[in-house]
Amino acid sequence: MSEKVLMKVEAISKIYQMGEVTVNALKDIDLEIYQGEFVVILGPSGSGKSTLLNVLGGMDLPTEGKVFMEDQEITGYNDKKLTAYRREKVGFVFQFYNLMANLTARENVELATEICKGALQIDEVLEAVGLGDRKDHFPAQMSGGEQQRVAIARAVAKNPALLLCDEPTGALDFKTGIKILTLLKEINKKYNKTVVIITHNVPIGAMADRVIKMRSGGIIETQINDNPIHPEGIEW
Amino acid sequence: MKKLDVRLLRLIKNSKGQFISIAVIIILALTVFVSFNMMRDNLDNTIAHYYDITNYGDVFVEVTRIPGNAIENLYDIEGIEMAQGRVSNDVPLRVEDPNEKVRVRVVSLPQEEYIVNDLYTIEGRSLQENPRTAVVLQQFSDARSINIGDQITPYIAGRDYPLDIIGIVGSPEYIYLMENEQSLLPAPERFGVIYVTEEFAQSAFGFQGSYNQVVIKIQEEHLNKIDTIVEDIEDQLDRYGVRRVTKREDQLSHSMMMEEVEQLDQMSTAIPLLFLIVAAIIINIMLSRIVKNDRMSIGVMKALGYGNRAILAHYVKFSLAIGLVAAIFSSFFSIWLSQVFTNLYIQFMNIPLLQMDIYYIYFIYGILLTSIFCVVSGLMGARNVIKIMPADSMRPEAPKAGGRILLEKITFLWQRISFSWKMVIRNILRNKRRAAFLVLGIALTYGITMVPVFMASVWGNLFTIHYGEFQTMEYNIDFAKPMNHNAIRELTQILEVDHIEPKVEIPFELRNGWRKKNVSVIGIPQDTAFYNFKSPSGTPIVVPRDGIILTEGLGKILGVEIGEEIVLKNFIPDREDTTILVEGMTQQHLGTNAYMNIDTLNHVLGERDMITGVMMNSEDQVVLKLQDVKNISQVQSVEDMMNSFLEFMDMIIYSVGIMMLFGGILGFAIVYNTTIISISERTMEFSSLRVMGFDKKEIYKMISRENGLMTMLGILLGVPIAYGMCYGVVSAFATDLYSIPLIIEPRSYGVAAIATIVFVTVAQLATIKKIYRLNFIDALKNRVS
Ligand SMILES: Nc1ncnc2c1ncn2[C@@H]1O[C@H](COP(=O)(O)OP(=O)(O)OP(=O)(O)O)[C@@H](O)[C@H]1O
Ligand SMILES: [Mg+2]
């Protein structure tokens, strides 16, 4: 793990205004993410984890504050640059899979890779997530876990600098969950990619270089693991 | 292939019903656009070319009698390129059935190299010196199955003249063959034209060395001064008894053909525009629905790094694909339709040179026009893509807040409505924009359906009004030369007559300042029982003692009002022009005339007791008994008119059918698409209803009720729209020859309503599959994932 800062978040807050009600989804957050780091974000439901991940991934803009990617301020980007940022730098795994219903597993992955440079071999990635034989199935023909794996393959195959995963194991059984985590760890180590994972699952924190705990829109604790364990060793 | 395009193809496959129905509308629009434009150009160019090779004249003069050398003198007028005399008279033709009345116009052809109004030989030989030969106009020979080698026998001045047919020809003067302005429709089996040698015509009609018509060609560079040239001609020919001077633009066949060109031109814009607008609105609504459904997918695309432009393009390609598919099909159809039209023209008109040239430029225009429409409507429909944030993809849409509707506040009424009707009404009001479109679409369908229904009945109305209400005589008899009242006595001796009135019918030029118009002025007894003049507002007008009654259209042409004076310029040598007071304007749907008291007209003409014909009612066998009576030039019976009308109906029914089909397709597409969209939008709601225990049939019934209610509203709104459309058609079709009365019969409203309901029902039935196939359980499940 290097000391090079990949992303820097300065004093961001996110406020949702819904008529009379104001929701403070993120409150004045400062954060640095290092190149090649494996970060796990923990926190209860509604604590702002997804919102933070969205902001990191250039999917949403904070109400206040700045976000930097390799010294470039993405909060100052226009729409076009932000799109390019998402395309080239970020791989995103959604909490609810979000596959395109009328594309097959393989096509869902291709949809992502055909617009970016340096993508990985699609078949290899699908093989790696254990879907080698379901490539031509449509999302409706797959189980939730399988869909989740397609979603991961879609994010990974882009070979992005930053892989953001919103509860990648939420819908999976233990064994498959471990497999996915192992895969993510491998990508992290082998290609030196930065990985940020959101989870409810406290034990998963043990495999991270750093664990960030959130509550009601703020970071309440940052915990550095000097000796992260291999995912195989996780139990829950 | 790009994965977005793969997705697009599957999207299209899933909504092929909508795709096809919109494509069909665009196909119609494009087909009409391309083929009507091509037809117009073809017709216009062919006519111009035809005129060119036959040296079609620019001015036609009818005189009492003019010697050949007087025609030579016309060359003194600057700008006259060619002037030729001819003898032309309408005479009866001997045919096998004595009850059949056939008339031919016998026209002489000069024996010269260069002939104004030359003929186009279609079959056989052109006319040579032999005075016992004739060539005949093709429409006539076709209608009466006359062949080369046959003999025909015109009956001229009490004698039969058998002539050998040596050729079949076309003439630029009779592309559209009608006897005169009063005949509403061509009747080629009862009126034809034959061309004979000058020698024959002059001797048979007693015109040795002289003529009764002059056809004049004006030098191209002087055509802009045609009006002054015409005046010079009138002056110079005054002493030969000028009866009528007609410029080409007023010539019957020419003006009918130009009318046809004009109508093609109008329809080539109006119909495609209307259909493209409807298609654009459907595309707009459909795409905005798809985009709404695809919110999550669009978020994902954005998250993956697809820009707004790429995603917009993805959806616009949907509408563009419809446009392009339609363009391909319509290219074939328009060539086919042009062919059909060309054949119809060849069948109903005589343009021997007409051929179908394909003007590719209209395909290009059409495709461009469609592409623009599709892209614009696609962009408008998909514009919400821009508003969707990638983060939006992460959460399902919150249900829309449903407020109370106005009707609910009227508790008294609301309580009386059953639960399912309440749902129906709420649903309609929930998406007001789409409801408005559906109502408008049905109204439009109603209107489009009404036009042909109206047109079908209007000809009958036109006929009954003109020949049943406006003028009520059964026969109109014209004498070959002016007579006096003795003629009436003689006629009553030959025939059993119920009622008979004299008339004087003389062409005049009516002038008001620079405005002028040549018309037949008809003199009738002041107490006529045959004419019922009515002002446009319906008040009866009596024949004035001194003044003149104009038809409404004539009043407009001359720009005069009742109480103003106009000039009657007669064509009698050396007689002064008269000014006369306009005392009434009458509504007349057929033809353009002016009416005067017969005695006053006689006075104007410097005559006393002159009559040129009679009008009468008789149960007798009029045509048969007058067959060989001298000095009768024509007997026109209302029954004959009725027969030509019935023949014409066949053609009307054909075009009525096509128009109905257009209306039906439009209505189908509108109802089908809005229903499909509304079903897809309410999948969740239906699923919940299913879970609550409603069955498929009940849900389908609910939708049917919604559409039924909308159809009723649509038809109500459709009534004024239909009226407006018929008004538009009436104004577009009004010509010098006829004006269509805007009378929509109550029955027509009913017929159009039934047709509309049928179209809606068919569309409704087409959507039944979608309801029955809806997977309700999936819909509920998918909400979470
Ligand atoms: N688009 C939105 N409009 C209004 N409020 C929102 C919106 N998105 C998120 N919120 C609110 O912001 C807060 C944080 O939401 P977020 O989705 O980040 O939570 P989370 O930590 O990811 O929760 P979970 O573990 O349940 O996914 C919540 O209170 C949520 O209701
Ligand atoms: Mg979340």
Side-chain angles (χ1 to χ4, degrees):
Chain A
M1 203 183 89
S2 68
E3 292 302 305
K4 188 173 163 250
V5 176
L6 182 71
M7 290 204 82
K8 195 172 153 95
V9 171
E10 277 182 12
I12 56 162
S13 11
K14 178 79 185 177
I15 297 165
Y16 289 112
Q17 190 74 44
M18 295 192 302
E20 310 272 284
V21 194
T22 314
V23 180
N24 253 327
L26 293 176
K27 293 175 202 157
D28 198 24
I29 287 185
D30 288 303
L31 181 68
E32 280 178 347
I33 293 168
Y34 301 99
Q35 170 65 44
E37 207 182 4
F38 196 114
V39 181
V40 166
I41 301 176
L42 286 172
S45 183
S47 56
K49 308 181 297 288
S50 294
T51 309
L52 178 61
L53 213 64
N54 284 345
V55 170
L56 290 178
M59 312 243 290
D60 211 348
L61 289 173
T63 318
E64 259 173 74
K66 290 176 179 172
V67 179
F68 295 90
M69 173 74 170
E70 295 168 333
D71 299 329
Q72 295 257 14
E73 192 199 327
I74 62 169
T75 34
Y77 279 176
N78 61 15
D79 210 46
K80 204 169 156 198
K81 276 179 137 177
L82 211 55
T83 302
Y85 168 71
R86 290 194 295 263
R87 179 187 298 198
E88 299 298 341
K89 300 278 187 277
V90 188
F92 210 101
V93 179
F94 298 92
Q95 190 168 359
F96 303 117
Y97 336 137
N98 291 11
L99 300 179
M100 306 289 264
N102 41 16
L103 293 180
T104 63
R106 190 173 207 286
E107 286 163 352
N108 259 289
V109 179
E110 278 177 302
L111 181 70
T113 57
E114 72 184 11
I115 53 164
C116 67
K117 297 187 264 292
L120 304 177
Q121 258 295 153
I122 293 164
D123 291 315
E124 268 174 37
V125 178
L126 282 168
E127 221 51 76
V129 295
L131 286 174
D133 51 346
R134 314 221 55 179
K135 286 191 273 239
D136 295 323
H137 289 215
F138 285 95
Q141 300 164 325
M142 288 187 270
S143 75
E146 285 161 345
Q147 290 185 43
Q148 181 70 303
R149 282 185 273 163
V150 177
I152 291 167
R154 184 171 65 183
V156 169
K158 284 174 76 172
N159 195 14
L162 179 65
L163 198 57
L164 304 172
C165 313
D166 199 342
E167 304 209 29
T169 57
L172 307 182
D173 62 275
F174 175 75
K175 235 176 97 195
T176 326
I178 295 298
K179 254 203 219 149
I180 296 288
L181 291 174
T182 311
L183 180 74
L184 290 173
K185 188 78 180 179
E186 229 175 84
I187 291 161
N188 169 248
K189 286 273 136 353
K190 203 158 120 193
Y191 302 102
N192 195 27
K193 303 285 173 192
T194 312
V195 177
V196 180
I197 291 181
I198 291 178
T199 182
H200 284 116
N201 246 327
V202 183
I204 293 178
M207 67 177 283
D209 294 319
R210 195 152 53 119
V211 177
I212 294 166
K213 292 192 173 154
M214 293 187 67
R215 179 163 299 160
S216 47
I219 297 176
I220 48 163
E221 194 190 337
T222 308
Q223 202 181 308
I224 297 175
N225 266 351
D226 287 330
N227 292 310
I229 61 163
H230 191 270
E232 302 277 350
I234 296 172
E235 281 176 42
W236 70 78
Chain B
M1 202 185 337
K2 286 266 168 56
K3 289 297 146 315
L4 271 188
D5 295 332
V6 171
R7 177 174 192 268
L8 178 69
L9 285 183
R10 299 204 178 124
L11 206 64
I12 290 173
K13 207 174 133 228
N14 284 338
S15 43
K16 47 180 180 302
Q18 287 181 283
F19 189 95
I20 293 169
S21 62
I22 300 171
V24 168
I25 298 190
I26 299 180
I27 289 173
L28 281 183
L30 266 181
T31 305
V32 170
F33 177 81
V34 174
S35 58
F36 279 36
N37 269 307
M38 289 203 307
M39 275 319 302
R40 184 209 45 217
D41 281 7
N42 273 320
L43 202 56
D44 211 19
N45 294 343
T46 312
I47 291 172
H49 178 59
Y50 193 26
Y51 286 176
D52 201 40
I53 59 164
T54 53
N55 307 312
Y56 188 42
D58 297 301
V59 180
F60 308 90
V61 187
E62 289 171 34
V63 291
T64 314
R65 177 186 286 267
I66 182 167
N69 53 10
I71 294 175
E72 294 301 313
N73 292 340
L74 280 174
Y75 289 103
D76 294 346
I77 300 170
E78 200 197 350
I80 292 195
E81 184 182 318
M82 194 82 201
Q84 279 176 350
R86 65 180 185 184
V87 178
S88 166
N89 271 312
D90 294 359
V91 299
L93 187 76
R94 291 283 189 214
V95 287
E96 275 169 31
D97 177 3
N99 275 313
E100 196 182 16
K101 191 191 60 124
V102 179
R103 299 174 54 73
V104 287
R105 184 162 295 163
V106 180
V107 183
S108 75
L109 214 59
Q111 236 91 63
E112 277 174 52
E113 190 66 28
Y114 183 98
I115 300 175
V116 184
N117 282 9
D118 204 354
L119 302 175
Y120 182 89
T121 306
I122 296 165
E123 223 187 305
R125 290 179 290 135
S126 54
L127 204 58
Q128 304 297 321
E129 271 116 73
N130 187 345
R132 287 287 162 176
T133 56
V135 294
V136 26
L137 199 69
Q138 191 192 29
Q139 293 103 305
F140 186 59
S141 67
D142 280 355
R144 297 205 63 85
S145 330
I146 296 170
N147 295 311
I148 292 173
D150 290 354
Q151 262 196 349
I152 59 168
T153 313
Y155 181 73
I156 304 171
R159 264 193 65 188
D160 285 350
Y161 288 92
L163 298 171
D164 291 325
I165 302 294
I166 60 161
I168 289 172
V169 298
S171 161
E173 213 177 344
Y174 299 105
I175 294 175
Y176 194 89
L177 175 64
M178 282 211 299
E179 188 169 357
N180 54 39
E181 282 84 349
Q182 316 304 334
S183 30
L184 172 57
L185 308 160
E189 65 294 328
R190 257 169 291 121
F191 175 77
V193 183
I194 62 172
Y195 295 88
V196 296
T197 59
E198 197 169 285
E199 188 192 334
F200 171 79
Q202 286 185 335
S203 78
F205 290 109
F207 269 87
Q208 274 76 10
S210 56
Y211 307 94
N212 66 354
Q213 283 189 3
V214 188
V215 278
I216 295 163
K217 197 148 171 56
I218 291 177
Q219 280 158 4
E220 191 114 13
E221 61 272 24
H222 285 94
L223 272 176
N224 51 345
K225 286 178 291 191
I226 187 161
D227 283 316
T228 44
I229 295 176
V230 165
E231 263 168 52
D232 290 347
I233 295 171
E234 280 176 18
D235 286 348
Q236 194 169 332
L237 297 184
D238 197 35
R239 69 184 122 131
Y240 303 108
V242 177
R243 289 166 179 276
R244 187 199 259 262
V245 181
T246 314
K247 281 184 287 178
R248 183 196 282 186
E249 60 182 64
D250 297 321
Q251 199 266 336
L252 197 53
S253 163
H254 176 81
S255 64
M256 290 304 280
M257 291 319 292
M258 290 303 114
E259 198 60 46
E260 191 68 34
V261 170
E262 176 71 14
Q263 274 170 22
L264 280 176
D265 192 57
Q266 285 172 349
M267 288 204 283
S268 72
T269 355
I271 296 178
L273 211 59
L274 177 71
F275 278 60
L276 279 184
I277 288 171
V278 170
I281 295 175
I282 298 179
I283 288 175
N284 182 347
I285 293 180
M286 180 185 71
L287 275 185
S288 67
R289 181 62 228 159
I290 291 181
V291 164
K292 219 168 160 193
N293 273 349
D294 279 357
R295 212 176 65 107
M296 189 271 299
S297 300
I298 292 167
V300 171
M301 288 184 232
K302 288 195 172 179
L304 290 176
Y306 283 90
N308 277 329
R309 202 180 298 180
I311 303 172
L312 271 178
H314 174 56
Y315 290 102
V316 170
K317 273 185 201 167
F318 191 111
S319 66
L320 208 53
I322 301 179
L324 290 181
V325 166
I328 292 167
F329 277 96
S330 65
S331 298
F332 293 109
F333 287 143
S334 26
I335 291 176
W336 170 80
L337 191 67
S338 310
Q339 194 68 64
V340 169
F341 261 84
T342 309
N343 291 341
L344 272 179
Y345 279 127
I346 290 172
Q347 194 184 331
F348 285 98
M349 285 153 208
N350 190 327
I351 321 171
L353 301 165
L354 185 60
Q355 49 175 339
M356 198 195 76
D357 283 331
I358 292 172
Y359 295 88
Y360 287 101
I361 190 74
Y362 291 117
F363 290 87
I364 294 168
Y365 285 155
I367 290 168
L368 273 181
L369 187 72
T370 313
S371 306
I372 291 169
F373 259 87
C374 289
V375 168
V376 170
S377 60
L379 281 175
M380 300 261 287
R383 67 183 186 279
N384 279 337
V385 159
I386 294 168
K387 287 199 207 138
I388 295 173
M389 292 291 293
D392 281 339
S393 59
M394 249 84 57
R395 60 192 73 82
E397 200 179 345
K400 226 171 150 185
R404 266 165 196 279
I405 57 172
L406 187 71
L407 197 62
E408 288 179 58
K409 292 185 185 136
I410 313 167
T411 26
F412 155 75
L413 251 171
W414 188 247
Q415 275 165 5
R416 257 147 239 261
I417 298 171
S418 72
F419 172 72
S420 45
W421 275 107
K422 276 181 192 161
M423 294 229 354
V424 166
I425 292 167
R426 275 213 194 100
N427 282 333
I428 289 172
L429 293 175
R430 193 156 35 165
N431 196 332
K432 295 195 191 72
R433 214 159 52 108
R434 204 178 43 234
F437 171 69
L438 185 56
V439 169
L440 201 68
I442 291 170
L444 213 58
T445 306
Y446 182 79
I448 293 178
T449 321
M450 176 64 102
V451 171
V453 174
F454 162 70
M455 288 303 280
S457 70
V458 88
W459 294 101
N461 277 330
L462 191 63
F463 196 84
T464 40
I465 291 175
H466 191 79
Y467 291 106
E469 295 170 20
F470 177 70
Q471 52 177 61
T472 53
M473 71 293 268
E474 284 165 4
Y475 294 94
N476 242 313
I477 297 167
D478 290 326
F479 302 144
K481 59 177 197 206
M483 316 257 240
N484 58 29
H485 269 87
N486 291 336
I488 292 186
R489 211 190 56 234
E490 284 165 27
L491 273 176
T492 47
Q493 280 162 4
I494 307 173
L495 299 166
E496 296 262 344
V497 172
D498 296 338
H499 183 68
I500 187 161
E501 286 181 17
K503 69 165 182 182
V504 175
E505 191 167 344
I506 297 274
F508 276 94
E509 185 179 274
L510 307 193
R511 287 191 183 208
N512 177 36
W514 56 272
R515 293 181 226 237
K516 52 186 181 179
K517 176 84 190 157
N518 285 342
V519 295
S520 278
V521 176
I522 302 175
I524 47 177
Q526 193 155 13
D527 58 351
T528 176
F530 285 137
Y531 278 96
N532 293 301
F533 300 111
K534 260 189 215 153
S535 75
S537 60
T539 25
I541 305 169
V542 282
V543 180
R545 208 170 61 88
D546 297 320
I548 192 166
I549 300 176
L550 306 182
T551 55
E552 206 190 344
L554 183 57
K556 277 195 197 123
I557 294 171
L558 294 175
V560 286
E561 302 284 338
I562 293 172
E564 292 176 0
E565 280 186 333
I566 54 166
V567 175
L568 269 189
K569 187 178 185 308
N570 64 50
F571 295 118
I572 300 165
D574 305 325
R575 273 206 69 92
E576 289 293 303
D577 299 339
T578 332
T579 42
I580 191 158
L581 191 69
V582 177
E583 291 208 21
M585 296 267 193
T586 181
Q587 218 178 12
Q588 177 178 331
H589 294 299
L590 226 55
T592 300
N593 292 103
Y595 299 90
M596 286 174 71
N597 184 328
I598 189 166
D599 300 327
T600 318
L601 184 54
N602 259 312
H603 182 73
V604 168
L605 293 166
E607 299 277 348
R608 284 174 69 214
D609 200 23
M610 177 184 87
I611 62 175
T612 65
V614 295
M615 313 171 278
M616 66 176 193
N617 283 353
S618 166
E619 305 283 303
D620 212 344
Q621 288 188 298
V622 177
V623 174
L624 193 66
K625 288 196 177 169
L626 294 184
Q627 185 91 354
D628 291 339
V629 177
K630 255 173 87 180
N631 287 334
I632 286 185
S633 88
Q634 79 162 321
V635 180
Q636 195 185 52
S637 81
V638 173
E639 212 181 314
D640 286 346
M641 305 296 297
M642 183 66 105
N643 289 336
S644 18
F645 169 71
L646 288 178
E647 266 160 45
F648 188 66
M649 274 308 280
D650 288 348
M651 222 175 97
I652 297 268
I653 284 166
Y654 189 69
S655 44
V656 164
I658 289 180
M659 283 283 281
M660 286 278 244
L661 191 71
F662 277 30
I665 288 172
L666 201 68
F668 177 89
I670 290 170
V671 175
Y672 177 80
N673 280 291
T674 24
T675 309
I676 293 280
I677 290 166
S678 128
I679 290 171
S680 85
E681 191 171 284
R682 283 147 60 185
T683 309
M684 274 309 300
E685 180 189 324
F686 293 153
S687 309
S688 315
L689 287 174
R690 286 301 304 281
V691 172
M692 279 162 64
F694 278 73
D695 68 8
K696 290 173 183 177
K697 233 192 212 147
E698 283 166 313
I699 291 171
Y700 185 68
K701 209 161 94 189
M702 199 170 76
I703 297 186
S704 308
R705 276 186 182 172
E706 273 175 49
N707 280 342
L709 194 66
M710 304 300 254
T711 307
M712 290 307 129
L713 290 175
I715 289 176
L716 278 185
L717 180 68
V719 169
I721 288 183
Y723 192 84
M725 279 182 159
C726 292
Y727 180 82
V729 167
V730 163
S731 338
F733 276 68
T735 66
D736 266 12
L737 292 190
Y738 53 80
S739 63
I740 300 168
L742 183 56
I743 300 169
I744 305 177
E745 287 169 21
R747 205 171 53 107
S748 301
Y749 287 106
V751 171
I754 289 169
T756 308
I757 290 169
V758 168
F759 300 146
V760 171
T761 312
V762 170
Q764 176 75 43
L765 287 174
T767 62
I768 197 165
K769 229 169 56 186
K770 287 268 174 185
I771 296 254
Y772 278 62
R773 284 229 197 107
L774 257 191
N775 193 330
F776 296 97
I777 307 308
D778 265 10
L780 287 174
K781 211 168 71 181
N782 280 341
R783 190 180 174 104
V784 210
S785 63

